[in-house]
Amino acid sequence: MKIEVVKKDITEMTVDAIVNAANKSLLGGGGVDGAIHRAAGPKLKEACRKLNGAETGEAKITEGFDLPARYVIHVVGPVYNDGSRGEAEKLKSCYQNSLRLAEEYELKTIAFPAISTGIYGYPKEEAAEIAVDTIRSFETDSNSVETVYLIAFDDETFTSLDQAKKKRG
Ligand code: AR6
């Protein structure tokens, strides 16, 4: 599995699936969630209604509708408190469960935003290391996913992801 760090708006990614950093309702919100819903059009919300929400760390999939991406994988990242409330494990689950769904759907390319590092307040460097480590150690029998794009919307996120990738080799 190849990891590429890219500075871009995730809604412009032409990949098999983009990941949405949603909330438990899965009915839209601000940040990347708002941007994805705007770009995908109202059918995405209709599809999301049928999902009945999700727990923190869980991942659910819909079509991408008006997006260039074929699917959207909706995950709920942890709200960062002080780091002692299982935040790291929950963030790790977001990446693992998204990759499991991608394998189940036999997808080749997937793009993640920096889950939880905006409104949910997760420190960017720690979150970047968890993202890279979890993807690197993800094990599967199917191996359909070839490239994982880690999307940075701002310079600080780009640097954190780039350094985490270099650190992990
Ligand atoms: N493309 C790529 N990344 C983006 C984009 C975009 N178009 N827009 C923002 N980001 P956030 P969270 C980056 O706050 O912390 C929503 O209201 C952003 O710069 O979107 O998981 C949900 O409904 C940051 O690096 O998600 C939840 O209630 C990263 O995406 C809550 O926010 C994540 O920031 C989830 O908070």
Side-chain angles (χ1 to χ4, degrees):
M1 231 181 251
K2 200 168 86 181
I3 298 180
E4 302 245 17
V5 178
V6 180
K7 188 152 181 246
K8 213 175 156 100
D9 180 337
I10 202 165
T11 63
E12 294 171 5
M13 292 295 293
T14 305
V15 284
D16 292 329
I18 61 170
V19 175
N20 182 16
N23 58 62
K24 288 182 182 175
S25 79
L26 299 185
L27 295 177
V32 71
D33 194 6
I36 289 173
H37 274 269
R38 274 193 300 278
K43 284 188 182 155
L44 180 62
K45 200 166 172 182
E46 264 173 55
C48 283
R49 272 190 224 288
K50 297 184 188 138
L51 301 176
N52 290 316
E55 292 305 319
T56 305
E58 208 183 349
K60 294 191 176 179
I61 192 165
T62 63
E63 281 178 52
F65 301 100
D66 294 345
L67 288 163
R70 194 158 144 226
Y71 293 102
V72 179
I73 295 175
H74 307 263
V75 294
V76 185
V79 175
Y80 190 85
N81 195 275
D82 58 3
S84 73
R85 303 194 185 183
E87 291 95 330
E89 274 308 307
K90 287 174 190 156
L91 187 59
K92 197 172 159 183
S93 295
C94 290
Y95 287 94
Q96 286 173 330
N97 288 329
S98 300
L99 290 171
R100 281 188 196 119
L101 265 182
E103 291 291 341
E104 194 183 317
Y105 280 71
E106 298 181 341
L107 308 183
K108 287 191 174 133
T109 51
I110 179 170
F112 285 93
I115 302 165
S116 282
T117 66
I119 294 163
Y120 282 178
Y122 211 111
K124 291 184 197 296
E125 282 182 24
E126 271 176 67
E129 288 186 8
I130 290 169
V132 171
D133 285 352
T134 308
I135 294 160
R136 284 262 194 264
S137 52
F138 183 74
E139 283 180 28
T140 168
D141 293 332
S142 39
N143 288 313
S144 73
V145 178
E146 292 168 358
T147 310
V148 177
Y149 296 94
L150 293 177
I151 308 298
F153 202 50
D154 56 89
D155 291 331
E156 203 188 332
T157 300
F158 184 87
T159 307
S160 305
L161 288 168
D162 197 46
Q163 291 195 339
K165 191 186 153 187
K166 281 181 186 140
K167 205 164 152 183
R168 192 65 208 266

